Amino acid sequence: MSDSAATVKRLLPQITEANRHFWCGGADGRLHILRCGACGTWIHPYAARCPKCRSDSVAPEAISGLGTVAGFTINHQPWIRGLETPYVVALVELAEQANIRLMTNMPRTPIEAVRIGLPVKVFFEPDGEIFVPLFEAA
Ligand SMILES: [Zn+2]
């Protein structure tokens, strides 16, 4: 590892055509999630077919970016050099649909303020073409 590894903040995903809407869509300031064109079900993570009606008419749409904390843990282990600990790993349920949840971090919210049921909103941390969706107290 070179010295530049000390400045690494996050491990970034490999962008594919299947996940580009999610990781790069934040360039317009909005979170994009797949939605079924036949029944309206929101789909995350990516699936080629709707899990509810099996339609393959799925395409990304912008959503409100609002949600609530469904669960969280506080990580104290410095797994990634340069990523300051402790930090919150949160499971956020999106406002649009029950049981559609994202794993995320909440670096702008004090750890002691994070609780299950906390209303949150998305913001993005840009890194090249990727806009990492993160959440903060709404
Ligand atoms: Zn459907």
Side-chain angles (χ1 to χ4, degrees):
M1 289 252 174
S2 69
D3 288 342
S4 66
T7 62
V8 169
K9 291 181 68 184
R10 295 183 186 284
L11 299 177
L12 297 174
Q14 181 174 1
I15 301 304
T16 68
E17 286 317 302
N19 69 18
R20 179 174 298 281
H21 67 277
F22 182 78
W23 291 111
C24 303
D28 69 0
R30 302 189 69 188
L31 185 60
H32 296 77
I33 298 289
L34 286 184
R35 190 173 201 188
C36 176
C39 77
T41 297
W42 295 96
I43 303 162
H44 183 83
Y46 171 83
R49 288 186 173 275
C50 174
K52 189 173 178 188
C53 77
R54 306 303 297 162
S55 169
D56 63 0
S57 175
V58 296
E61 276 186 35
I63 63 169
S64 68
L66 301 175
T68 56
V69 174
F72 70 97
T73 188
I74 300 167
N75 179 68
H76 294 270
Q77 177 69 30
W79 299 108
I80 303 168
R81 191 156 36 134
L83 189 59
E84 198 174 310
T85 59
Y87 58 85
V88 169
V89 178
L91 194 58
V92 167
E93 182 165 277
L94 300 176
E96 278 73 8
Q97 182 177 299
N99 292 321
I100 186 160
R101 295 173 171 183
L102 308 184
M103 195 68 77
T104 188
N105 298 135
M106 298 181 59
R108 290 182 183 171
T109 304
I111 287 175
E112 58 276 14
V114 177
R115 60 176 171 77
I116 292 174
L118 180 72
V120 292
K121 62 182 178 183
V122 74
F123 70 96
F124 297 94
E125 187 177 88
D127 191 330
E129 68 171 340
I130 294 175
F131 288 72
V132 179
L134 302 170
F135 284 77
E136 62 184 333

